[in-house]
């Protein structure tokens, strides 16, 4: 699970870099607007720049696929537990308990 957190942290960092680059680009654009006497624009931080979105896309895709795979594994394990429980219920007692009940003390070979 640590690697998934690492992927998620990397994706967040790339988004942060993209947002900072977008702010820098917007600041330079606003300087040009100020000199020309136009109204300045506020930066939208949700998307970042195209380069960081392109870099981040495979990382986010990998994280989502790994999360889906983990959910499938959890689901399969849950089904396996249900099947195991139903088999144990149909047999009456679990195998571990039967083994303990059936064991009798054996005579030592040395005693014979």
């Amino acid at each position: 699970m640590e690697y998934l957190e690492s992927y998620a942290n990397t994706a967040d960092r790339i988004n942060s870099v993209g947002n900072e680059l977008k702010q820098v680009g917007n600041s330079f654009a606003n300087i040009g607007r100020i000199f020309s006497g136009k109204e300045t624009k506020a930066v939208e931080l949700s998307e970042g720049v195209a380069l960081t979105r392109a870099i981040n896309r495979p990382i986010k895709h990998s994280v989502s696929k790994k999360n889906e795979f983990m959910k499938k594994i959890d689901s399969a394990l849950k089904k396996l537990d249900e099947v195991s429980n139903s088999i144990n219920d149909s047999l009456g007692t679990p195998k571990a308990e039967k083994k303990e009940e059936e064991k009798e003390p054996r005579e030592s070979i040395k005693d014979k």
Side-chain angles (χ1 to χ4, degrees):
M1 293 301 275
E2 289 181 27
Y3 62 92
L4 284 179
E5 291 174 11
S6 175
Y7 277 109
N9 287 338
T10 301
D12 291 341
R13 288 180 184 162
I14 291 172
N15 279 338
S16 296
V17 168
N19 290 336
E20 293 298 323
L21 290 173
K22 184 134 182 158
Q23 284 180 341
V24 168
N26 192 46
S27 295
F28 281 117
N30 278 339
I31 290 170
R33 288 185 190 100
I34 290 171
F35 284 132
S36 65
K38 295 180 181 178
E39 190 74 27
T40 59
K41 294 183 181 179
V43 66
E44 296 177 18
L45 298 178
S46 61
E47 293 184 14
V49 293
L51 177 64
T52 57
R53 284 194 310 264
I55 292 171
N56 216 6
R57 187 174 297 124
I59 295 171
K60 287 185 175 183
H61 180 72
S62 177
V63 169
S64 68
K65 288 296 181 185
K66 288 181 188 327
N67 282 331
E68 288 175 20
F69 185 66
M70 293 299 288
K71 287 178 184 177
K72 287 179 182 179
I73 289 174
D74 288 341
S75 174
L77 288 174
K78 186 182 284 186
K79 288 178 184 178
L80 187 61
D81 285 341
E82 290 172 3
V83 169
S84 175
N85 289 336
S86 68
I87 290 172
N88 285 339
D89 290 343
S90 68
L91 294 175
T93 58
K95 284 185 176 181
E97 290 178 14
K98 282 187 177 181
K99 284 183 181 178
E100 290 175 10
E101 292 171 2
E102 293 175 1
K103 286 185 181 178
E104 296 179 3
R106 296 185 181 182
E107 290 184 51
S108 172
I109 297 175
K110 290 180 183 178
D111 294 339
K112 289 183 179 182

